[in-house]
């Protein structure tokens, strides 16, 4: 029996860009209906806001692979069936986003570059199957491109990215 859909909009951010999160909270995040929206940061030396999740990983750009993997682990622990991973500098139209939640495992703007295609890291969708693979994957030594890491581990597991023209 299928479990009910539970959607997470995972905004990847950091302490350095805290002002971006505030702008998003006052903007499109406040319009989200039918999904939970959380801001994912590394552990901070301050109290966590109700919509924040502190992860055990570094907070720098070079650590986005680790942050994305930890976010995926958190999403699984909280029974999310779909994750929309989005960066903190992306504008989203929540009504359009929620009106067309894809059923495919990995959907976004396709970068069809060798050796394996991936969805651009600014925003993409994952289903439980894909979330689980990302959560359980080792990050290759020296890999700093989160989108290439996600695309690579999914491709190796037989999940190819789907190009959704709405991400253009």
């Amino acid at each position: 029996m299928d479990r009910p859909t539970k959607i997470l909009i995972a905004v990847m951010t950091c302490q350095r860009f805290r002002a971006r999160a505030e702008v998003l909270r006052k903007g499109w995040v406040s319009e989200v209906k039918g999904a939970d929206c959380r801001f994912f940061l590394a552990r901070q030396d301050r109290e966590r806001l109700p919509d924040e999740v502190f992860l055990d990983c570094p907070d720098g750009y070079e650590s986005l692979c680790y942050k994305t993997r930890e976010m995926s682990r958190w999403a699984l622990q909280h029974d999310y069936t779909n994750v929309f991973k989005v960066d903190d500098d992306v504008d989203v139209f929540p009504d359009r986003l929620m009106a067309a939640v894809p059923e495919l495992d990995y959907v976004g703007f396709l970068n069809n570059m060798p050796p394996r295609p991936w969805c651009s890291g600014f925003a993409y969708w994952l289903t439980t199957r894909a979330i689980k693979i990302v959560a359980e994957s080792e990050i290759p030594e020296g890999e700093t491109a989160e989108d290439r890491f996600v695309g690579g581990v999914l491709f190796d597991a037989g999940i190819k990215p789907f190009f959704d023209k709405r991400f253009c």
Side-chain angles (χ1 to χ4, degrees):
M1 185 170 140
D2 290 334
R3 60 187 174 144
T5 300
K6 185 176 177 186
I7 300 170
L8 170 65
I9 298 175
V11 181
M12 306 306 274
T13 191
C14 64
Q15 185 63 24
R16 179 176 171 207
F17 296 123
R18 194 169 176 192
R20 289 182 184 175
E22 290 306 315
V23 169
L24 295 182
R25 285 183 181 99
K26 293 174 183 172
W28 67 260
V29 168
S30 66
E31 300 170 8
V32 172
K33 293 175 181 63
D36 297 330
C37 191
R38 299 287 183 271
F39 292 85
F40 289 85
L41 306 95
R43 186 138 333 264
Q44 306 294 311
D45 291 329
R46 63 174 175 81
E47 286 295 313
R48 179 180 67 78
L49 297 176
D51 64 355
E52 292 178 327
V53 176
F54 291 167
L55 303 170
D56 289 323
C57 63
D59 218 13
Y61 182 78
E62 301 80 23
S63 303
L64 282 174
C65 295
Y66 295 93
K67 190 179 283 184
T68 301
R69 183 178 65 184
E70 292 306 311
M71 175 275 295
S72 297
R73 290 173 177 173
W74 186 91
L76 286 175
Q77 291 169 357
H78 291 84
D79 297 319
Y80 286 98
T81 59
N82 301 75
V83 170
F84 181 68
K85 181 266 175 199
V86 62
D87 288 343
D88 63 3
D89 60 352
V90 175
D91 199 15
V92 174
F93 296 89
D95 56 336
R96 295 181 197 173
L97 181 74
M98 298 306 296
V101 177
E103 293 183 17
L104 298 171
D105 291 312
Y106 182 37
V107 175
F109 181 85
L110 181 64
N111 281 297
N112 202 10
M113 297 175 61
R116 297 168 289 190
W118 71 89
C119 291
S120 181
F122 72 87
Y124 53 80
W125 282 100
L126 301 172
T127 62
T128 303
R129 178 177 172 221
I131 298 164
K132 189 173 195 290
I133 292 166
V134 173
E136 295 174 352
S137 291
E138 292 297 320
I139 298 166
E141 185 175 332
E143 180 63 84
T144 59
E146 159 269 327
D147 48 6
R148 194 172 53 214
F149 157 66
V150 169
V153 298
L154 293 178
F155 189 85
D156 290 349
I159 297 175
K160 295 180 181 163
F162 179 80
F163 176 51
D164 185 333
K165 293 180 183 177
R166 293 178 304 150
F167 288 83
C168 291

